[in-house]
Structure formats: structure tokens, C-alpha cells
Amino acid sequence: CGQCSAHCPVGAIYEQDETSKVWEALEDPEIYPVVQIAPAVRVAIGEAFGYEPGTLLTRKTYAALRRLGFEAVFDTNFGADLTIMEEATEFAHRLNDGGEMPLITSCCPAWTDYMEKFAPDFIDNFSSAKSPHEMLGVMAKTYYAQKMGIDPSKIFMVSIMPCTAKKYEITRSDEMFASGHQDIDVSLTTRELSRLIKASGIDFVNLPDEDCDSILGDYSGAGTIFGATGGVMEAAVRTAHHLITGKNLPDVNYEPVRGLEGVKEATLEVAGQEIRIAVAHWMCNIDTVLNRVREARERGAPSPYQFIEVMACRGGCVGGGGQPYGATDEIRAKRARGLYRDDESREHRCSHENPFIQTLYKDFLGEPCSEKSHELLHTEYRPRKPYKK
Ligand code: SF4
């Protein structure tokens, strides 16, 4: 990828262009092609069409995807809201029931691959929640397919990601096929999407703004900030606070986890308990946090943190390896600001307030971390051998 290809733990050093698989699906009358876009894509896709980095182009991107021929256009931000419901519930359970601490986020496949190969002593600390695009993929092939009366074997799910490691994640374990179908059929990068749009002759700049498709599209502000370092933690804190206290944070903007500092630490008081948080981004900063936990373990002391977010790319997904080339810290910061503007503009700022998420649990999943949620929305991690050189 742009920053860490030399150290890429998933071997995604050479970009695999999979646009031909998407063209084939779009042209096959037997297939029902659907698509989703990740948080960080909407603030970077415009750079291929002359826009400033950070310009929020969510609704123009939905329009472009419809013109390409997708039957339904969903939003990974909805999947991010679902990930937060599961992960924040997992955190509240561990906090109340004395489970393995710290809980560590697992929505970045480059980080999970690194951990399985180089830090397997943290496997029990990982959240078992799948990443947002996987969750949305499996909901499309179960919940959406049932509601719409579509044969799930005909649904072809494409995810547009800021990421090259997502191409590996979609087949990483049996749980990525939990419904009997592959959650995600093809994962394209932001760069591949801009090539698809250009190759099809779509006049992106002059497209109208359009809405995404129900019932897997509408998202909260918490879902969109997933794309910036600290965003997963901020989204999780918003919902974990509500789960534990029954109330939202007085101010949902949780500034201590924002920005490009390599390791950010914060303490949050929730119902009289201190929650110690760490956020690390860019692979070179990850061991700093892990070693602090290891040192405490060796001394028999409590963990210095109870909740850790890790993202492999500098700046989080806004600086991902599948984004337009040439990212600098200034560009990463502009893209992140676009996501925070999106968050502030949303009617609902917390994942648990998203009415479509509430309906999904009521009609289909039961409750967060239910048996059905575990079957479809969670995964496992295991030690793996590093690749041979
Ligand atoms: Fe992919 Fe980078 Fe985001 Fe991780 S931080 S999910 S590797 S884009």
C-alpha cells in the first residue's frame, strides 16, 4: 500500500485488479449485483475527478454505482453501525463479567493478519465481531434476500473499500461463508472504482445526488467516522456508554481519540468506572501499545488499557492502501475532516439510534451478541505462520 507496502503483512504489495469480475457480474442477466461503499471512499473518490481531498461525495457515488448497473446500492456505514452494536455489547459484557481485557478492535484485516502471525498472545483479546463490509455482506444474503424474496445464491456483493487487505479478508476463514454463501464476492479499491466509472464513460461531476437503497443503507454519524483513526473507538464509546448507563454521552464528540498522533490515550468515566483507552494507527506504532500491555502482564498488574483500537494504515482507512495515490498527512487530515462533517450532519449520531439497525434486531437478529448474531456476524482468530521469504 501507499505507506507500508514494504512491511505489508498480508502480501498485498501488488495490487490485484478485479474490475473484470465486476464487469462480468454486471453483464450476467442471471445475477443480482449489489454494492456497498466504505466510509473512507466517499471523501477520496473525488480526487480522481478533480475535487479537493475531503469533499464528501456519498450521494454522487451512489448515483455512479446505479449507472454502472448495480441493482441495489448499500452503504458500509450501515455495517459499521452493526459492528458497533456487536462490539460495544462485547465490551460491556467483558467489563461487567470480568472477561479478557483489553478488548481490541478487529475490523482492520491487515492488523488481524499481523496479530495472528506476530502477536498471537493477543488472540483472546480480539473482538470477534466481523468487519463492517462482511457484516453488511452476510445481511444482504440473509435478511435482505428474505425481505425481497431474492435467491441469495444470485446475489453478487461487491464492496468498494479504501483497502487492499480487504481482498484477502473476504476468504480468510470459514466464517466469511457463514450463510452458506460468501459474504463478499469481490472487494474493489477506491482506485478500481474510479477506473470503472471512467471506463464506462459516466460523467461523475455532473451526476445528481441520489439516496442509497433501503434497508441496508441508512447510517448514523458513528458509522461514518470509522474511516478515520480513532473513529471506531469514538463510535464504540458512544454506544458502550449508552449500553452501560442507559444514557448517551453528554457530548458525543469524543475529541481525545481524534487526530494523527501515532498513539492516543484517554480515560473515560462510565457509571463510576474509569475506562482506559488507547488508539494506535500505522504498523510502527502498534507494538508500543501491545508492549505496555505485555509489561503489565509480566508484572501481574492490571492492563493499562481496557479498550484498544488498532488500524494498520497511517490515519486509518482515509490513508488506506486502496485510496488515490500520493496521500500526505495534509490530505489524510482533509479526508478525515470530511467524515467528521458527515457525522455532524447526520440525524442520528450513535449506532444504537439508527432506526434501520433497531428494525434489523427486532425482525431478524434478536439482540446484539445473540446466537444468530454470533452465527452470522462473528469470526475466530488463530495463530498462523508468517509467510516464508
Ligand atoms: Fe484496510 Fe488500512 Fe483501513 Fe486497515 S487501516 S482496514 S489496512 S485501509
Side-chain angles (χ1 to χ4, degrees), residues 107-111 162-166 311-313 316-322:
C107 51
C108 169
W111 154 234
C163 183
T164 47
K166 295 278 176 189
M311 302 302 274
C313 295
C317 299
V318 290

Side-chain angles (χ1 to χ4, degrees), residues 19-42:
T19 51
S20 59
K21 291 183 188 169
V22 176
W23 286 127
E24 278 169 30
L26 289 170
E27 284 164 12
D28 187 337
E30 296 296 312
I31 284 180
Y32 188 85
V34 300
V35 66
Q36 54 171 308
I37 62 162
V41 173
R42 70 206 64 218

Side-chain angles (χ1 to χ4, degrees), residues 88 92 95-96 236-250 252 269-273 350 352-353 358:
L95 194 69
N96 293 334
V237 159
R238 292 180 190 179
T239 288
H241 187 280
H242 186 269
L243 282 171
I244 295 165
T245 67
K247 291 182 194 153
N248 280 347
L249 283 163
V252 294
E269 196 188 308
V270 181
Q273 296 186 72
C350 302
H352 57 273
E353 292 173 340
Q358 292 168 352

Side-chain angles (χ1 to χ4, degrees), residues 40-47 51-57 318 323 330-342:
V41 173
R42 70 206 64 218
V43 287
I45 182 83
E47 291 163 42
Y51 288 90
E52 269 294 297
T55 308
L56 188 63
L57 294 163
V318 290
Q323 295 281 64
E330 189 187 353
I331 289 173
R332 293 183 188 97
K334 282 183 176 178
R335 292 173 184 165
R337 280 200 293 278
L339 294 180
Y340 290 117
R341 279 196 299 276
D342 192 21

